[in-house]
Amino acid sequence: MTLEHYLIAAGILFCTGLFGMIVRRNILVIFMCLELILASATLTLVAFSRFRLTSGLPDIDAQMLVFFVITVAAAEVAVGLAIIVSLYRSTQSVHMEDLHTLKG
Amino acid sequence: MDSILFYLFALVMIAFGFGVVMNRNPVTSAMCLVGCFLGVAALFIMLDAFFIGVVQIAVYAGAVIVLFVFILMLLDIAGEKRREFPIHAIAIGLIVAVIVGGQIAMVAGSLDDVGGKFPPIDKAAAVEARVERGNNPDSTINTILTDPKKPSYPDVHIIGEALFTRYPLHLQIVAVLLTVGAVGVVVLSKKRLE
């Protein structure tokens, strides 16, 4: 397998997530599509880490970056879902069409 | 064998990714997300990033999906099914996704050596470089790297070493971020803010 295969696979996953973010109207599903995009970015990082050996081993800095990205993404999901719950409490909806006012 | 596994896992990843986007029921979308993350984790493990693969499964396929399903259970999702996807949104989504995908393919194709195979891991060179940097030749990582009975390299040891020697400040910042996140979630979920 070459690096290009992994980059193309990650690119297809990224486009799937982007398509979902534009098409879907449920804010929870949009959040899931965001996770797809993050997963494709981490896949790219890990593929480059394996491709660029530093003194015989995969580049560990890229894997550290992936580790921190996963941690930050976990915190982001927790806070984002809490915001969605409080949004649902005030508007009784998780649909983008119903969420067109800035003032909660 | 390697390429069969790659195509299998990439197909699993992309098919479940489409499942997330196409399913009308958000709970089915969440379950498809689990499959997609398992495919991504399998690709990580194929790229010799064992620790990252396991973390991907534990954090994403475990914790994050449980959060999603829990929130789906809390909210009313029955009203979702009758709504259709608007045609203009599908058209715009397809156009944007195809443009971005074409750009990604162009960039990926124009990189130097992008068609080259992944170079094999050279454990002897790694030990040599580590000892040259002043690392003890009998340290745990070097012992595992020189042991011919161990087929792969000790990536958990190496990530742990990097985390606590080169990135301790980053680790503490992430710890503070997680604490702030936990407190923030509690504050946001309270019934009324005073």
Side-chain angles (χ1 to χ4, degrees):
Chain A
M1 297 327 292
T2 65
L3 176 63
E4 199 169 10
H5 287 88
Y6 283 91
L7 292 185
I8 295 295
I12 293 173
L13 190 65
F14 184 93
C15 292
T16 312
L18 187 66
F19 176 68
M21 280 185 81
I22 295 171
V23 168
R24 295 305 299 256
R25 285 284 155 271
N26 187 326
I27 201 163
L28 278 160
V29 181
I30 290 176
F31 215 54
M32 290 179 201
C33 294
L34 200 75
E35 297 301 315
L36 287 186
I37 290 178
L38 269 174
S40 83
T42 52
L43 180 60
T44 314
L45 270 172
V46 173
F48 275 113
S49 140
R50 179 65 185 80
F51 189 69
R52 183 179 172 277
L53 294 184
T54 45
S55 64
L57 293 180
D59 191 353
I60 214 68
D61 292 335
Q63 296 197 17
M64 297 309 306
L65 186 55
V66 173
F67 179 76
F68 288 125
V69 165
I70 288 177
T71 325
V72 172
E76 172 234 319
V77 166
V79 175
L81 286 175
I83 290 174
I84 290 174
V85 169
S86 61
L87 192 72
Y88 183 77
R89 277 215 195 104
S90 63
T91 61
Q92 295 298 309
S93 172
V94 286
H95 277 272
M96 296 304 281
E97 278 106 354
D98 304 330
L99 309 172
H100 44 64
T101 50
L102 276 177
K103 200 175 164 198
Chain B
M1 187 63 195
D2 219 32
S3 68
I4 295 172
L5 282 178
F6 170 80
Y7 284 118
L8 176 72
F9 292 134
L11 194 70
V12 164
M13 177 181 87
I14 291 162
F16 277 113
F18 271 107
V20 173
V21 176
M22 296 304 170
N23 269 305
R24 196 135 304 180
N25 189 342
V27 179
T28 322
S29 287
M31 290 302 120
C32 286
L33 200 58
V34 176
C36 181
F37 285 152
L38 289 180
V40 174
L43 288 182
F44 285 170
I45 288 167
M46 281 186 68
L47 286 166
D48 296 315
F50 308 108
F51 177 72
I52 297 296
V54 172
V55 165
Q56 174 86 10
I57 292 177
V59 173
Y60 273 114
V64 168
I65 297 298
V66 168
L67 264 180
F68 268 112
V69 175
F70 200 68
I71 297 301
L72 285 171
M73 186 194 79
L74 275 177
L75 307 183
D76 173 33
I77 53 164
E80 163 80 3
K81 283 175 187 163
R82 59 194 158 77
R83 304 205 189 199
E84 297 287 318
F85 297 152
I87 290 290
H88 63 271
I90 292 178
I92 292 169
L94 270 180
I95 291 169
V96 173
V98 166
I99 289 173
V100 174
Q103 283 178 334
I104 290 172
M106 270 169 61
V107 171
S110 67
L111 291 173
D112 289 340
D113 299 336
V114 76
K117 292 221 179 286
F118 288 104
I121 289 176
D122 189 354
K123 292 197 274 187
V127 173
E128 212 170 279
R130 291 174 65 82
V131 171
E132 216 167 87
R133 258 181 287 147
N135 195 278
N136 182 4
D138 296 325
S139 70
T140 316
I141 295 177
N142 289 343
T143 322
I144 298 174
L145 279 172
T146 44
D147 189 351
K149 285 190 200 126
K150 299 261 196 311
S152 68
Y153 76 108
D155 91 317
V156 181
H157 284 88
I158 292 171
I159 285 181
E161 186 196 51
L163 194 60
F164 289 107
T165 56
R166 281 157 56 205
Y167 297 96
L169 180 65
H170 307 66
L171 186 69
Q172 290 172 46
I173 292 172
V174 163
V176 171
L177 176 82
L178 283 174
T179 316
V180 170
V183 174
V185 167
V186 172
V187 171
L188 278 171
S189 322
K190 271 173 66 174
K191 281 275 178 205
R192 62 183 69 234
L193 300 171
E194 269 129 32

